[in-house]
Amino acid sequence: MITTTSPTIVHYPSAASSTEMAADSAPPLSRSRRNIGEPARYWPQNSTIKIAMYDYDMDDEYVLAVKKAASEWLPHINLKFEFVSGEEGDVRITQNMNNAGGGSSAIGTEALDKSPASPTMSLPRDHKHPRFEYVVMHEFGHMLGAHHAHQHPDANIPWNMGKVYEGYNRIAGMDRQAVQNNVLPLARSDQYDFTPYDGDSVMHYEISPKLTHGDWGQSETWSLSDGDIAWAKKAYPKAVPATS
Ligand SMILES: [Zn+2]
Protein backbone atom coordinates (compact mmCIF):
# COMPACT_ATOMS: atom_id res chain seq x y z
CA MET A 1 0.00 0.00 0.00
CA ILE A 2 2.72 2.45 -0.89
CA THR A 3 1.17 5.33 -2.78
CA THR A 4 2.72 8.41 -4.25
CA THR A 5 -0.39 10.44 -4.88
CA SER A 6 -1.02 11.05 -1.21
CA PRO A 7 2.25 12.22 0.26
CA THR A 8 0.96 12.66 3.78
CA ILE A 9 0.00 9.02 4.12
CA VAL A 10 2.91 7.50 5.94
CA HIS A 11 4.00 3.96 5.72
CA TYR A 12 5.71 1.51 7.90
CA PRO A 13 8.41 -0.75 6.50
CA SER A 14 6.84 -4.12 6.76
CA ALA A 15 7.54 -7.52 8.21
CA ALA A 16 8.89 -8.35 4.79
CA SER A 17 11.50 -5.73 5.53
CA SER A 18 12.14 -7.15 8.92
CA THR A 19 13.15 -10.46 7.39
CA GLU A 20 15.65 -8.68 5.22
CA MET A 21 16.70 -6.36 7.97
CA ALA A 22 17.37 -9.34 10.19
CA ALA A 23 19.67 -10.61 7.51
CA ASP A 24 21.51 -7.33 7.81
CA SER A 25 22.50 -8.30 11.36
CA ALA A 26 22.77 -4.82 12.79
CA PRO A 27 25.60 -3.95 15.16
CA PRO A 28 24.92 -2.16 18.48
CA LEU A 29 22.82 0.87 17.79
CA SER A 30 22.92 4.49 18.77
CA ARG A 31 19.85 6.34 19.94
CA SER A 32 19.51 10.07 19.56
CA ARG A 33 16.18 10.85 17.90
CA ARG A 34 13.31 13.15 18.67
CA ASN A 35 9.57 13.17 18.29
CA ILE A 36 7.56 15.27 15.90
CA GLY A 37 3.92 16.32 15.91
CA GLU A 38 1.86 18.42 13.52
CA PRO A 39 -0.49 20.52 15.69
CA ALA A 40 -2.72 21.68 12.81
CA ARG A 41 -3.72 18.07 12.36
CA TYR A 42 -4.39 17.25 15.99
CA TRP A 43 -7.94 16.18 16.82
CA PRO A 44 -10.11 18.51 18.88
CA GLN A 45 -9.15 18.33 22.54
CA ASN A 46 -11.23 15.96 24.70
CA SER A 47 -13.02 14.60 21.65
CA THR A 48 -14.03 11.05 20.85
CA ILE A 49 -12.60 9.58 17.65
CA LYS A 50 -14.92 7.12 15.99
CA ILE A 51 -12.81 4.30 14.60
CA ALA A 52 -14.45 2.01 12.08
CA MET A 53 -13.16 -1.52 11.64
CA TYR A 54 -13.77 -1.31 7.95
CA ASP A 55 -13.43 -4.87 6.69
CA TYR A 56 -16.55 -6.98 7.04
CA ASP A 57 -14.51 -10.09 7.84
CA MET A 58 -12.48 -8.84 10.82
CA ASP A 59 -13.01 -11.30 13.62
CA ASP A 60 -13.44 -10.40 17.27
CA GLU A 61 -9.96 -11.56 18.15
CA TYR A 62 -8.42 -9.24 15.57
CA VAL A 63 -10.48 -6.27 16.71
CA LEU A 64 -9.51 -6.96 20.32
CA ALA A 65 -5.84 -7.08 19.38
CA VAL A 66 -6.11 -3.69 17.66
CA LYS A 67 -7.96 -2.18 20.61
CA LYS A 68 -5.44 -3.53 23.10
CA ALA A 69 -2.43 -2.12 21.27
CA ALA A 70 -4.10 1.20 20.41
CA SER A 71 -5.17 1.66 24.03
CA GLU A 72 -1.51 2.00 25.04
CA TRP A 73 -1.86 5.66 24.02
CA LEU A 74 -5.03 6.33 26.01
CA PRO A 75 -3.60 6.92 29.51
CA HIS A 76 -1.53 9.76 28.05
CA ILE A 77 -4.11 11.68 26.01
CA ASN A 78 -7.47 13.38 26.59
CA LEU A 79 -9.18 11.71 23.61
CA LYS A 80 -11.44 8.69 23.64
CA PHE A 81 -11.53 5.95 21.02
CA GLU A 82 -14.92 4.56 20.01
CA PHE A 83 -14.49 1.39 17.97
CA VAL A 84 -17.35 0.43 15.69
CA SER A 85 -17.69 -2.12 12.95
CA GLY A 86 -18.57 -1.06 9.45
CA GLU A 87 -17.48 1.65 7.12
CA GLU A 88 -18.48 4.83 8.94
CA GLY A 89 -15.95 6.51 11.18
CA ASP A 90 -13.51 9.41 11.48
CA VAL A 91 -10.80 6.77 11.10
CA ARG A 92 -11.35 3.67 8.99
CA ILE A 93 -9.09 0.65 9.46
CA THR A 94 -8.48 -2.04 6.89
CA GLN A 95 -6.19 -5.05 6.92
CA ASN A 96 -3.21 -4.69 4.63
CA MET A 97 -3.69 -7.19 1.85
CA ASN A 98 -0.74 -6.22 -0.31
CA ASN A 99 1.90 -6.36 2.35
CA ALA A 100 1.30 -8.78 5.18
CA GLY A 101 3.29 -7.00 7.88
CA GLY A 102 3.01 -3.39 6.82
CA GLY A 103 0.80 -0.51 7.80
CA SER A 104 -0.02 3.05 6.89
CA SER A 105 -2.10 5.90 8.24
CA ALA A 106 -3.22 9.41 7.56
CA ILE A 107 -1.67 12.02 9.86
CA GLY A 108 -4.23 13.17 12.44
CA THR A 109 -7.30 14.93 11.07
CA GLU A 110 -6.09 14.44 7.53
CA ALA A 111 -8.26 11.33 7.83
CA LEU A 112 -11.29 13.65 7.63
CA ASP A 113 -10.17 14.90 4.21
CA LYS A 114 -10.15 11.47 2.68
CA SER A 115 -13.00 9.95 0.77
CA PRO A 116 -15.50 8.43 3.21
CA ALA A 117 -15.45 5.42 0.95
CA SER A 118 -11.82 4.54 1.60
CA PRO A 119 -9.82 3.43 4.64
CA THR A 120 -7.53 5.90 6.41
CA MET A 121 -5.31 3.31 8.09
CA SER A 122 -4.08 -0.12 7.16
CA LEU A 123 -2.72 -2.63 9.66
CA PRO A 124 -1.01 -6.01 9.32
CA ARG A 125 -3.25 -9.00 8.81
CA ASP A 126 -1.59 -11.25 11.36
CA HIS A 127 -2.47 -10.02 14.84
CA LYS A 128 -0.42 -12.83 16.37
CA HIS A 129 2.82 -11.63 14.82
CA PRO A 130 5.18 -10.30 17.51
CA ARG A 131 5.45 -6.95 15.71
CA PHE A 132 1.70 -6.46 15.41
CA GLU A 133 1.29 -4.43 18.59
CA TYR A 134 4.22 -2.24 17.62
CA VAL A 135 2.84 -1.49 14.15
CA VAL A 136 -0.58 -0.66 15.64
CA MET A 137 0.99 1.75 18.14
CA HIS A 138 3.06 3.30 15.35
CA GLU A 139 0.09 3.82 13.02
CA PHE A 140 -2.06 5.15 15.86
CA GLY A 141 0.76 7.58 16.59
CA HIS A 142 0.36 8.88 13.04
CA MET A 143 -3.40 8.92 13.48
CA LEU A 144 -2.93 11.13 16.55
CA GLY A 145 -0.77 13.55 14.55
CA ALA A 146 2.78 12.28 14.99
CA HIS A 147 5.38 12.10 12.27
CA HIS A 148 8.39 9.81 12.12
CA ALA A 149 10.99 10.40 14.80
CA HIS A 150 13.80 9.53 12.39
CA GLN A 151 12.69 12.45 10.17
CA HIS A 152 13.60 15.02 12.79
CA PRO A 153 15.96 17.58 11.24
CA ASP A 154 18.23 17.12 14.26
CA ALA A 155 18.38 13.35 13.89
CA ASN A 156 21.51 13.76 11.77
CA ILE A 157 21.28 10.25 10.41
CA PRO A 158 24.27 9.85 8.11
CA TRP A 159 22.23 8.43 5.24
CA ASN A 160 24.16 6.91 2.42
CA MET A 161 22.24 8.67 -0.32
CA GLY A 162 23.61 6.25 -2.88
CA LYS A 163 21.82 3.42 -1.09
CA VAL A 164 18.81 4.82 0.73
CA TYR A 165 16.43 5.00 -2.25
CA GLU A 166 17.29 1.54 -3.52
CA GLY A 167 17.26 0.17 0.01
CA TYR A 168 13.76 1.36 0.92
CA ASN A 169 12.48 0.32 -2.47
CA ARG A 170 13.78 -3.16 -1.80
CA ILE A 171 12.67 -3.55 1.80
CA ALA A 172 9.43 -1.58 1.74
CA GLY A 173 8.49 -1.04 -1.89
CA MET A 174 8.88 2.74 -1.62
CA ASP A 175 9.51 4.89 -4.67
CA ARG A 176 11.69 8.01 -4.45
CA GLN A 177 8.82 10.23 -3.37
CA ALA A 178 7.78 7.79 -0.66
CA VAL A 179 11.35 7.68 0.66
CA GLN A 180 11.41 11.47 0.80
CA ASN A 181 8.03 11.52 2.56
CA ASN A 182 8.68 8.73 5.02
CA VAL A 183 12.38 8.43 5.62
CA LEU A 184 14.45 11.56 4.94
CA PRO A 185 14.47 14.64 7.21
CA LEU A 186 11.48 16.98 7.36
CA ALA A 187 11.94 20.67 6.78
CA ARG A 188 12.65 22.68 9.89
CA SER A 189 9.26 24.33 9.85
CA ASP A 190 6.75 25.89 12.25
CA GLN A 191 4.31 23.38 10.81
CA TYR A 192 5.81 20.84 13.17
CA ASP A 193 6.20 20.65 16.90
CA PHE A 194 9.60 19.15 17.55
CA THR A 195 9.52 17.79 21.09
CA PRO A 196 12.58 17.11 23.24
CA TYR A 197 15.02 14.26 22.98
CA ASP A 198 13.67 10.73 22.65
CA GLY A 199 15.94 7.82 22.05
CA ASP A 200 13.36 5.06 21.74
CA SER A 201 10.32 6.41 19.94
CA VAL A 202 7.76 3.97 18.61
CA MET A 203 7.64 6.41 15.67
CA HIS A 204 11.20 5.56 14.65
CA TYR A 205 11.98 3.06 11.92
CA GLU A 206 14.51 0.37 12.30
CA ILE A 207 17.41 1.64 10.23
CA SER A 208 19.92 -0.68 8.68
CA PRO A 209 23.60 0.32 9.00
CA LYS A 210 23.86 -0.80 5.39
CA LEU A 211 21.96 2.34 4.38
CA THR A 212 24.10 4.75 6.38
CA HIS A 213 27.69 5.83 6.64
CA GLY A 214 29.80 4.73 9.58
CA ASP A 215 27.61 1.80 10.68
CA TRP A 216 24.93 4.12 12.07
CA GLY A 217 21.87 2.03 12.88
CA GLN A 218 18.71 1.97 14.94
CA SER A 219 16.64 -0.91 16.25
CA GLU A 220 12.90 -0.92 16.85
CA THR A 221 11.44 -0.27 20.28
CA TRP A 222 8.21 -2.20 20.63
CA SER A 223 6.59 0.00 23.27
CA LEU A 224 5.83 3.66 23.82
CA SER A 225 8.93 5.50 24.92
CA ASP A 226 9.18 8.27 27.50
CA GLY A 227 9.43 10.66 24.55
CA ASP A 228 6.28 9.26 22.93
CA ILE A 229 4.42 9.68 26.19
CA ALA A 230 5.75 13.21 26.66
CA TRP A 231 4.62 14.09 23.13
CA ALA A 232 1.15 12.60 23.69
CA LYS A 233 0.72 14.51 26.95
CA LYS A 234 1.75 17.73 25.27
CA ALA A 235 -0.47 17.21 22.23
CA TYR A 236 -3.56 16.16 24.18
CA PRO A 237 -3.11 17.31 27.78
CA LYS A 238 -5.47 15.88 30.33
CA ALA A 239 -7.21 18.51 32.42
CA VAL A 240 -5.55 19.40 35.67
CA PRO A 241 -7.72 17.94 38.44
CA ALA A 242 -9.81 20.63 40.10
CA THR A 243 -8.87 21.48 43.65
CA SER A 244 -11.54 22.25 46.18
ZN1 LIG B 1 5.13 5.46 9.98
Side-chain angles (χ1 to χ4, degrees):
M1 293 276 293
I2 301 296
T3 60
T4 56
T5 52
S6 183
T8 46
I9 287 274
V10 289
H11 305 278
Y12 195 79
S14 67
S17 78
S18 119
T19 308
E20 292 218 23
M21 287 297 195
D24 284 338
S25 66
L29 303 171
S30 66
R31 297 175 183 280
S32 57
R33 263 50 57 200
R34 294 167 192 251
N35 283 352
I36 306 165
E38 187 171 348
R41 289 180 171 166
Y42 292 171
W43 299 86
Q45 300 296 315
N46 303 295
S47 62
T48 297
I49 304 175
K50 189 174 173 184
I51 301 168
M53 303 305 282
Y54 188 82
D55 300 338
Y56 67 88
D57 60 347
M58 282 177 179
D59 61 30
D60 292 347
E61 207 179 324
Y62 186 87
V63 173
L64 270 177
V66 173
K67 285 183 185 175
K68 179 170 178 289
S71 70
E72 292 290 313
W73 287 104
L74 288 174
H76 315 297
I77 59 178
N78 62 32
L79 305 177
K80 293 190 172 73
F81 297 159
E82 178 191 3
F83 286 89
V84 297
S85 54
E87 300 182 354
E88 288 184 26
D90 305 313
V91 169
R92 297 174 294 281
I93 297 178
T94 189
Q95 289 170 297
N96 193 341
M97 290 303 159
N98 298 327
N99 184 336
S104 67
S105 175
I107 302 280
T109 56
E110 188 206 19
L112 301 176
D113 300 335
K114 300 204 161 296
S115 162
S118 61
T120 68
M121 182 188 296
S122 71
L123 294 175
R125 274 172 290 173
D126 180 6
H127 70 274
K128 292 179 178 165
H129 191 284
R131 282 176 87 248
F132 181 80
E133 189 168 337
Y134 167 58
V135 178
V136 173
M137 286 188 283
H138 180 99
E139 301 308 340
F140 269 74
H142 287 315
M143 184 276 277
L144 292 170
H147 285 266
H148 287 141
H150 54 269
Q151 293 187 268
H152 198 291
D154 292 343
N156 295 318
I157 298 172
W159 290 112
N160 182 332
M161 297 308 292
K163 292 184 177 173
V164 67
Y165 288 107
E166 182 280 326
Y168 277 93
N169 183 263
R170 176 172 50 81
I171 62 182
M174 293 185 190
D175 63 18
R176 286 184 72 87
Q177 188 65 52
V179 172
Q180 287 166 14
N181 293 340
N182 288 286
V183 178
L184 299 178
L186 292 166
R188 201 179 292 277
S189 159
D190 290 347
Q191 180 182 353
Y192 307 113
D193 181 27
F194 298 107
T195 63
Y197 179 82
D198 170 22
D200 302 299
S201 175
V202 80
M203 303 311 297
H204 203 295
Y205 282 179
E206 174 181 28
I207 291 169
S208 166
K210 289 191 170 180
L211 302 182
T212 65
H213 295 294
D215 279 345
W216 197 103
Q218 175 69 49
S219 60
E220 292 176 343
T221 303
W222 288 4
S223 58
L224 299 188
S225 67
D226 290 346
D228 293 325
I229 290 169
W231 168 77
K233 287 181 169 175
K234 186 180 180 198
Y236 300 103
K238 287 178 183 284
V240 179
T243 51
S244 54

